[in-house]
């Protein structure tokens, strides 16, 4: 739920670049573009979020930058220092800072990158990148190398124009699968940053539980969580939080967050390195008997799956365990058979995903591979309004999610600071 932006020491970035080069064939190069600013309207930009692949390899967190890496040199293209721009936007790293701070052998103005790339494309070098060199390349990255400043963006980017009209076209090799393999295995520093993120998020959840009361809005609860997260040291939320009261919790990615919280309903909230936590609690501070029975099933299932999260198993294997656990549990609660079709409605998502610098990390990695280092567990049940279910459970959505590091000694829960036992939640909410 939280994003802790402080990464690690410069030597680790260098080690990552060296490891990447070892995985590339001879006479090859890789291009890793960062992101530019994105604008909601003219002159009004969204908070900047860097490409996590560029962050992973350099730590550079400024818009309009690109890394070029070979076995012989590291080159950074970025915005140079400029008194005129810095009057608006504040100081930049600049070309000299790219070398002294980020370890580049060479650094150039981002506006020279199209010419550099054009020469590279004409060569026989194998290019590993996630840019589409056959189409409009950097357009999707919103890089604006001719922008006067963040508050005065240019309407046209010569980088985009370069890709639009350049001929002949050039194919390339995908870089992200190689980087995903590297990012899948977390270093000690990364695990500790994720632990810090989990601790902050856990404290913020506790404060949000204390503040919850009937008729406050989902947005007010969102603001409470955001406030405490930032005050405790988080840089930002890693995604738009889901704050869903009552039947809104049946929608996995509900983010409108505007409805009032009703007495007797449950509220489900999940929302930086990233943490990804979900907790569910009663708006009035006390679970009903039916809510408590269903909640305890989900909690028991989550703890069972975490206990089985060990080196050698896979996310898909864990999903199978969670599916059968919840199916049998629902049969006991409903006192009837629950088939696979019904389970698709009650439990519509996968139990887990990889987590790291991105909330959904390493997208190219299969969920069938044996686990080694870090993962995230999420378990949920969603009961719609239907005559198939007791009225006391109608429109109830319960999800409990924790971040787990897989170690040789077993699972390490990085987000245990966030309360999830029924007795702890009710004690906190009733200030006992």
């Amino acid at each position: 739920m939280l994003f802790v932006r402080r990464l690690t020491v410069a030597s680790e970035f260098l080690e990552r670049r060296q490891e990447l080069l070892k995985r590339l064939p001879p006479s090859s190069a890789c291009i890793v573009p960062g992101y530019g600013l994105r604008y909601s309207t003219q002159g009004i930009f969204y908070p900047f979020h860097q490409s996590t692949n560029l962050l992973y390899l350099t730590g550079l967190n400024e818009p309009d930058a690109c890394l070029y890496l070979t076995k012989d040199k590291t080159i950074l293209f970025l915005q140079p220092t400029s008194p005129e721009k810095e009057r608006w936007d504040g100081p930049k790293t600049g070309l000299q800072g790219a070398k002294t701070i980020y370890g580049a052998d060479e650094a150039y103005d981002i506006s020279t990158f199209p010419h550099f790339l054009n020469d590279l494309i004409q060569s026989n070098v194998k290019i590993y990148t996630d840019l589409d060199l056959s189409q409009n390349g950097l357009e999707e990255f919103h890089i604006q190398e001719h922008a006067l400043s963040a508050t005065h963006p240019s309407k046209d980017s010569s980088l985009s124009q370069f890709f639009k009209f350049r001929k002949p076209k050039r194919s390339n090799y995908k870089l992200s699968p190689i980087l995903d393999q590297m990012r899948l295995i977390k270093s000690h520093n990364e695990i500790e940053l994720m632990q810090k993120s989990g601790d902050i998020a856990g404290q913020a959840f506790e404060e949000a539980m204390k503040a919850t009361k009937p008729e406050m809005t989902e947005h007010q609860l969102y603001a409470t969580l955001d406030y405490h997260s930032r005050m405790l040291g988080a840089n930002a939320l890693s995604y738009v939080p889901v704050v869903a009261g009552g039947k809104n919790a049946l929608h996995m990615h509900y983010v409108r967050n505007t409805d009032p919280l009703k007495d007797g309903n449950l509220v489900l909230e999940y929302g930086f390195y990233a943490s990804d936590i979900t907790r569910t609690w009663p708006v009035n501070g006390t679970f009903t008997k039916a809510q408590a029975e269903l909640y305890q099933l989900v909690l028991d299932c989550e703890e069972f799956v975490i206990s089985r999260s060990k080196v050698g198993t896979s996310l898909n294997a864990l999903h199978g365990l969670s599916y059968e656990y919840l199916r049998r549990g629902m049969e006991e609660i409903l006192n009837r058979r629950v088939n696979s079709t019904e389970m698709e409605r009650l439990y519509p998502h996968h139990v887990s995903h990889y987590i790291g610098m991105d909330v959904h990390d390493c997208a190219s990695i299969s969920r069938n591979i044996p686990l080694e280092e870090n993962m995230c567990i999420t378990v949920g049940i969603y009961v719609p309004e239907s005559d198939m279910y007791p009225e006391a459970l109608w429109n109830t959505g319960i999800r409990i999610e924790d971040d787990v590091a897989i170690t040789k000694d077993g699972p390490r829960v990085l987000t245990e600071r966030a309360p999830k036992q029924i007795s702890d939640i009710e004690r906190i909410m009733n200030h006992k």
Side-chain angles (χ1 to χ4, degrees):
M1 196 203 84
L2 305 183
F3 187 77
V4 177
R5 187 163 285 151
R6 177 177 56 85
L7 292 176
T8 186
V9 294
S11 60
E12 187 161 335
F13 295 116
L14 176 60
E15 290 169 3
R16 291 170 182 173
R17 295 195 296 270
Q18 291 172 338
E19 177 60 29
L20 174 58
L21 290 171
K22 289 178 184 177
R23 297 176 183 230
L24 299 180
S27 302
S28 60
C30 63
I31 299 170
V32 186
Y35 288 132
L37 290 172
R38 291 163 169 79
Y39 292 84
S40 60
T41 187
Q42 180 66 22
I44 306 299
F45 52 89
Y46 294 108
F48 177 66
H49 183 72
Q50 184 61 282
S51 159
T52 49
N53 277 340
L54 185 64
L55 272 179
Y56 182 76
L57 293 171
T58 67
L60 178 62
N61 193 37
E62 292 182 8
D64 308 329
C66 189
L67 170 68
Y68 174 76
L69 187 64
T70 71
K71 295 187 185 297
D72 298 321
K73 64 178 64 175
T74 298
I75 300 177
L76 278 172
F77 294 86
L78 68 168
Q79 292 276 6
T81 55
S82 164
E84 185 178 11
K85 292 181 181 179
E86 291 178 6
R87 179 184 180 189
W88 291 92
D89 304 331
K92 298 283 188 182
T93 296
L95 306 186
Q96 186 58 40
K99 292 184 276 189
T100 58
I101 299 172
Y102 295 103
D105 299 307
E106 301 173 19
Y108 301 103
D109 190 324
I110 185 66
S111 66
T112 68
F113 183 67
H115 304 289
F116 175 88
L117 186 57
N118 188 56
D119 291 340
L120 181 66
I121 288 172
Q122 305 308 316
S123 72
N124 294 322
V125 173
K126 289 183 177 180
I127 303 175
Y128 284 79
T129 184
D130 294 313
L131 291 174
D132 184 353
L133 299 184
S134 67
Q135 298 187 18
N136 291 1
L138 290 174
E139 227 171 34
E140 64 176 295
F141 292 89
H142 301 269
I143 291 179
Q144 301 277 353
E145 84 285 5
H146 287 162
L148 174 63
S149 74
T151 52
H152 292 77
S154 63
K155 294 183 179 179
D156 219 3
S157 165
S158 67
L159 288 173
S160 297
Q161 296 303 307
F162 166 75
F163 279 97
K164 187 176 294 184
F165 298 113
R166 179 184 52 73
K167 296 178 180 180
K169 307 302 184 184
R170 166 72 184 266
S171 60
N172 52 276
Y173 302 87
K174 294 289 288 183
L175 180 63
S176 56
I178 300 172
L179 283 172
D180 281 352
Q181 289 287 347
M182 291 175 56
R183 289 174 55 175
L184 184 64
I185 308 302
K186 306 302 189 281
S187 69
H188 173 76
N189 286 333
E190 289 178 293
I191 292 291
E192 292 310 309
L193 281 172
M194 294 179 71
Q195 179 69 72
K196 177 64 174 176
S197 178
D199 289 343
I200 291 173
Q203 290 179 261
F205 265 104
E206 186 169 332
E207 294 301 324
M209 290 176 183
K210 291 178 183 177
T212 303
K213 57 185 178 182
E215 298 309 318
M216 75 182 299
T217 66
E218 294 164 337
H219 185 73
Q220 289 172 321
L221 190 55
Y222 171 2
T224 301
L225 188 75
D226 190 20
Y227 168 79
H228 286 290
S229 298
R230 293 173 191 266
M231 291 299 291
L232 289 165
N235 297 84
L237 299 178
S238 56
Y239 49 85
V240 179
V242 172
V243 185
K247 65 181 180 180
N248 291 338
L250 300 180
H251 309 287
M252 268 67 72
H253 288 170
Y254 166 88
V255 293
R256 189 176 66 212
N257 299 340
T258 56
D259 287 359
L261 299 174
K262 299 297 185 181
D263 193 353
N265 282 348
L266 298 179
V267 60
L268 180 153
E269 183 161 345
Y270 87 109
F272 297 143
Y273 280 91
S275 63
D276 189 11
I277 306 175
T278 308
R279 292 293 186 264
T280 307
W281 63 90
V283 172
N284 63 11
T286 303
F287 288 91
T288 67
K289 182 179 179 181
Q291 289 170 347
E293 184 178 24
L294 193 62
Y295 182 95
Q296 193 63 50
L297 168 63
V298 176
L299 178 59
D300 289 346
C301 180
E302 195 229 16
E303 292 180 336
F304 169 72
V305 172
I306 288 175
S307 72
R308 298 298 190 274
S309 302
K310 300 176 182 179
V311 172
T313 190
S314 70
L315 299 189
N316 280 346
L318 293 174
H319 181 73
L321 292 175
S322 69
Y323 179 94
E324 188 59 22
Y325 194 106
L326 289 174
R327 189 188 66 78
R328 291 181 178 179
M330 288 303 294
E331 287 185 338
E332 290 185 14
I333 290 175
L334 301 174
N335 195 29
R336 62 172 174 79
R337 186 173 180 273
V338 175
N339 61 27
S340 59
T341 301
E342 186 175 358
M343 279 301 293
E344 289 298 319
R345 179 168 59 251
L346 293 171
Y347 183 37
H349 58 72
H350 199 283
V351 72
S352 186
H353 57 81
Y354 304 109
I355 187 170
M357 296 184 78
D358 289 319
V359 174
H360 289 183
D361 216 28
C362 306
S364 69
I365 303 298
S366 168
R367 286 171 169 162
N368 271 327
I369 67 167
L371 293 176
E372 295 184 53
E373 275 290 336
N374 193 328
M375 61 169 289
C376 172
I377 297 294
T378 172
V379 178
I381 280 286
Y382 310 88
V383 182
E385 183 175 336
S386 168
D387 291 338
M388 293 176 63
Y389 307 107
E391 187 173 351
L393 294 179
W394 283 3
N395 296 322
T396 298
I398 296 173
R399 185 157 72 231
I400 305 170
E401 183 172 10
D402 281 292
D403 302 345
V404 180
I406 307 301
T407 76
K408 60 182 177 59
D409 299 318
R412 171 184 171 184
V413 180
L414 303 173
T415 48
E416 62 183 359
R417 180 67 176 76
K420 61 182 180 181
Q421 301 296 330
I422 290 176
S423 58
D424 291 334
I425 292 172
E426 292 186 338
R427 173 181 53 78
I428 290 166
M429 294 191 68
N430 293 290
H431 309 290
K432 293 179 180 178

